[in-house]
Amino acid sequence: MLDVLKFKKPDGGPVTQADKGEIKIKDVSITFGRGPTEYRAVETTSIDIKAGEFVCILGPSGCGKSTLMNAIAGYVEPTTGKVTVDDVEVKGPGPDRGMVFQQYSLLPWKTVYENVAFGPKMAGATRTEAGSVANTFLGLVGLKKFGNRYPAELSGGMQQRVGIARALANYPSVLLMDEPFGALDAQTRLMMQESLLDIWRQFGTTVVFVTHDVDEAVFLADRVLIMSAAPGRIIEDVRIKLPRPRSTDMAATQEYMVARQFCLDTIKAESRKAFAEQNK
């Protein structure tokens, strides 16, 4: 079983997740269907994401945000170009990339503990090893006491925390999150955002986070990548200069408001284009 704590750098220090997880998207376009049904979801685009970065992808509805993320995950094959993680071309899903969806996608017949231990077991861990990993990550998301509960017995926010623990249990170098907090109420969403940042600080993995919420993107990210109306391509790379660790109090700062307004204006312009195109 992969245990990053057992690996060493050339200088003898332990490898952290921030040593891995560099993503390169080179000239990628994604087209579905053929002939009269052909639809280009993602226009030719290139992105470099450094290991350990927290990147949010924003864009108008239907612009290809999730499609681009699915290409990184290995669920969708690019029509042109390629995606690499740590210089290895993505050819399909792999344990180096954990995925968290908007819908919790937990196995309802398994306990919380069993859901988190499932991935390590499938990777070849012994029952004891998988159990140790499950307890470690349930502790990380604050749910160790709920290991014997079933998903239906948990709130939406708690289920999503289980989903994050499950995604991290294989020690991925990249954590992919597709609108993971979109179904939560406002207060739970804020709590989950702060919890995610705390986990990210501890774990150091690269995070690519798709959202339609500008405030969420500015609060979480090192960089906000804004996509155009469909077919989607990256039109802005906004670097968020807010200090870390972050708190919701930062929403009142000048730096936050400037970044938020720029993102809002860009999204509005692209949404108008998309609306006009749909009404031709």
Side-chain angles (χ1 to χ4, degrees):
M1 181 184 67
L2 175 62
D3 182 349
V4 295
L5 300 180
K6 294 179 180 179
F7 288 81
K8 299 289 183 180
K9 295 180 183 178
D11 62 7
V15 169
T16 64
Q17 289 303 95
D19 294 297
K20 297 183 178 181
E22 181 182 45
I23 302 168
K24 293 183 179 180
I25 297 172
K26 180 66 173 175
D27 297 329
V28 164
S29 68
I30 301 171
T31 301
F32 298 111
R34 292 184 177 181
T37 63
E38 183 175 288
Y39 171 72
R40 176 156 286 198
V42 176
E43 190 57 87
T44 304
T45 195
S46 297
I47 311 166
D48 285 348
I49 297 173
K50 295 179 182 178
E53 276 193 307
F54 198 125
V55 173
C56 284
I57 302 178
L58 270 177
S61 179
C63 73
K65 300 185 295 294
S66 295
T67 301
L68 187 60
M69 174 168 283
N70 285 336
I72 301 172
Y75 300 143
V76 171
E77 183 179 354
T79 306
T80 65
K82 67 178 181 179
V83 179
T84 63
V85 176
D86 296 320
D87 297 322
V88 177
E89 187 171 359
V90 171
K91 292 292 188 179
D96 60 329
R97 284 151 287 138
M99 189 84 180
V100 180
F101 301 94
Q102 182 174 348
Q103 300 303 319
Y104 314 125
S105 303
L106 300 176
L107 302 174
W109 61 90
K110 290 185 178 290
T111 65
V112 165
Y113 171 90
E114 291 168 338
N115 265 278
V116 180
F118 183 75
K121 283 183 180 179
M122 292 299 99
T126 66
R127 183 187 297 270
T128 300
E129 289 171 334
S132 177
V133 171
N135 283 326
T136 294
F137 285 101
L138 284 174
L140 190 66
V141 299
L143 291 175
K144 196 170 182 178
K145 293 181 179 179
F146 294 84
N148 291 326
R149 301 280 187 93
Y150 286 88
E153 299 177 287
L154 304 182
S155 68
M158 293 169 77
Q159 288 188 58
Q160 198 58 292
R161 283 151 68 189
V162 176
I164 294 170
R166 183 179 63 176
L168 292 174
N170 283 322
Y171 293 99
S173 55
V174 174
L175 182 62
L176 303 170
M177 310 187 79
D178 193 357
E179 299 197 42
F181 307 147
L184 304 178
D185 63 84
Q187 189 59 43
T188 303
R189 186 169 186 152
L190 286 173
M191 181 196 73
M192 288 297 299
Q193 290 167 2
E194 292 183 330
S195 178
L196 174 60
L197 288 180
D198 186 52
I199 292 167
W200 173 67
R201 281 197 304 272
Q202 294 181 61
F203 198 69
T205 190
T206 305
V207 176
V208 182
F209 188 108
V210 165
T211 180
H212 64 273
D213 188 305
V214 171
D215 287 287
E216 182 169 67
V218 173
F219 177 64
L220 292 174
D222 294 317
R223 295 162 61 197
V224 177
L225 304 177
I226 303 179
M227 293 185 71
S228 68
R233 59 187 176 83
I234 302 300
I235 55 172
E236 294 289 351
D237 184 346
V238 184
R239 296 188 178 271
I240 306 300
K241 298 179 181 179
L242 296 172
R244 295 190 186 275
R246 292 180 184 171
S247 70
T248 52
D249 295 339
M250 290 180 178
T253 65
Q254 181 71 13
E255 293 86 351
Y256 184 99
M257 289 188 286
V258 168
R260 178 183 185 274
Q261 193 61 50
F262 179 83
C263 291
L264 274 174
D265 290 344
T266 306
I267 293 294
K268 283 181 182 178
E270 290 303 314
S271 295
R272 290 191 192 101
K273 289 179 186 177
F275 184 80
E277 185 65 29
Q278 292 164 6
N279 284 278
K280 281 185 178 180

